[in-house]
Amino acid sequence: MTLADQTAMTRQDGRMTSQPPERPKRRTFTNAYKARTLAAFDALPEGSAERGALLCKERLYHFHIEHWRTRAENGTMAASTGKPAKSAEAEEPARLRAENKKLKAANDKLAGEPGKTKTALDIAGKAFAPLQDISSSADSDEK
């Protein structure tokens, strides 16, 4: 809990309240508001103090304008300041790339397996040769 929360929880009589104050919610902006604000901002002369006054009046930052302008130019402006909703067609390439990446990883893992199998067979063959020699010498002694 921050000092600001503790201060907000203190009543006038000096006692603390049991609940901290609610945090402010993020603002969301409709497409119509964004379009109106962009139009009003662009109508003002570039570098003028009126642009700054508009941002102050609307409690916005220049980033909002740049972000909204980029989204409007790309045609991806969402109903709020969050990420735009993706269509199934837009999500499919990303899904296919992720699936392709998984398959490549599995293929790389399996590509190393034949080398391991060959090494294991070589070791088993080398271990079998002395045993075969011992077995053949034991068979020849009994005759």
Side-chain angles (χ1 to χ4, degrees), residues 4-143:
D5 289 339
Q6 291 175 354
T7 304
M9 289 174 54
T10 306
R11 297 189 313 205
Q12 287 181 344
D13 60 3
R15 290 188 286 160
M16 299 284 285
T17 60
S18 60
Q19 295 291 330
E22 285 191 33
R23 297 281 181 189
K25 304 284 186 233
R26 273 190 179 214
R27 294 187 299 165
T28 57
F29 306 101
T30 63
N31 282 340
Y33 174 81
K34 292 175 187 179
R36 275 194 320 269
T37 306
L38 277 172
F41 187 83
D42 290 337
L44 297 171
E46 190 171 333
S48 68
E50 290 89 11
R51 283 186 165 191
L54 174 68
L55 294 177
C56 286
K57 180 182 132 201
E58 298 294 329
R59 295 182 318 163
L60 298 172
Y61 293 98
H62 191 263
F63 170 79
H64 288 106
I65 301 297
E66 294 300 320
H67 186 66
W68 295 345
R69 183 176 291 130
T70 303
R71 292 264 176 109
E73 289 170 357
N74 294 341
T76 59
M77 189 177 289
S80 68
T81 56
K83 292 184 179 179
K86 293 184 179 179
S87 66
E89 292 176 355
E91 289 180 359
E92 186 176 9
R95 182 186 59 79
L96 291 174
R97 277 193 290 276
E99 184 179 349
N100 196 12
K101 186 176 179 181
K102 287 179 187 176
L103 291 172
K104 282 182 181 179
N107 189 26
D108 291 344
K109 183 179 176 185
L110 292 175
E113 293 297 320
K116 290 179 184 177
T117 304
K118 184 177 179 186
T119 304
L121 289 173
D122 287 344
I123 292 170
K126 289 177 183 176
F128 180 72
L131 292 175
Q132 190 175 14
D133 290 342
I134 293 171
S135 175
S136 64
S137 68
D139 289 342
S140 63
D141 289 341
E142 290 180 8
K143 290 184 182 181

